[in-house]
Amino acid sequence: MGNCPEKETALRSRPRLIRSWVNWDADRSVRRPGDCCVRAISVVSKRPYEEVYNDLYLFTKSDPGYGVVTEALARYLRKRGFLVRSLFHKQVELATFMPKEPRAVIFLRDHSTAMINGHIVDTFNPLDRPKMHRVHGYAVPR
């Protein structure tokens, strides 16, 4: 966590519900710099990465490998049967966030991640990046 004892103490003092972080690359054949939403949807929906990538590309008419605007992502997920909830105006911390449903796509600042039974599934741990601690919303399959 670096050399900041105040930060380390503050992080340890917060209650944590997240059980762990699982490093998973979604079995993608090509690495794209902004494809976090594709990876997260692939994990949560149990669909292959390339299938989600192609479907999202057709829906947004732009390359999802370079990021997708949150509103377009929410419309896509609703069309695919997900229940989408906004938490943007609430102070919800990722470390203590636990949706009732076991599988969820979590929207953070400039990032989407998957959560399965309290485990973050992603290529990095968002809790290690201070700007990504606040949950802006989430989507769960129905």
Side-chain angles (χ1 to χ4, degrees):
M1 266 191 248
N3 297 330
C4 183
E6 297 84 17
K7 182 180 175 185
E8 290 181 25
T9 303
L11 288 174
R12 273 197 292 267
S13 66
R14 283 193 286 192
R16 270 184 107 110
L17 295 176
I18 291 182
R19 296 187 182 113
S20 71
W21 162 65
V22 177
N23 186 354
W24 190 71
D25 203 7
D27 299 328
R28 56 189 171 152
S29 57
V30 177
R31 294 187 188 283
R32 297 170 176 105
D35 67 350
C36 58
C37 61
V38 179
R39 290 192 318 265
I41 295 167
S42 175
V43 170
V44 172
S45 66
K46 300 180 186 178
R47 293 170 52 208
Y49 173 91
E50 292 299 327
E51 180 183 309
V52 173
Y53 177 88
N54 292 333
D55 195 34
L56 195 52
Y57 184 90
L58 292 172
F59 184 83
T60 61
K61 298 185 179 34
S62 65
D63 188 346
Y66 294 95
V68 176
V69 176
T70 304
E71 292 79 17
L73 184 58
R75 282 194 309 274
Y76 170 80
L77 288 166
R78 283 187 190 100
K79 187 169 182 172
R80 298 299 177 259
F82 280 70
L83 176 66
V84 179
R85 294 283 181 230
S86 173
L87 299 174
F88 189 77
H89 296 291
K90 298 182 181 182
Q91 297 295 321
V92 179
E93 293 287 319
L94 179 59
T96 58
F97 178 70
M98 188 64 61
K100 294 177 187 172
E101 298 81 357
R103 306 177 77 79
V105 175
I106 311 296
F107 309 127
L108 306 170
R109 179 180 176 186
D110 299 326
H111 187 64
S112 298
T113 191
M115 185 180 286
I116 308 295
N117 295 319
H119 302 278
I120 293 174
V121 181
D122 207 334
T123 56
F124 67 92
N125 186 350
L127 290 172
D128 291 341
R129 301 190 183 179
K131 290 183 178 181
M132 293 187 180
H133 285 192
R134 198 164 138 223
V135 177
H136 289 202
Y138 67 101
V140 293
R142 291 190 224 184

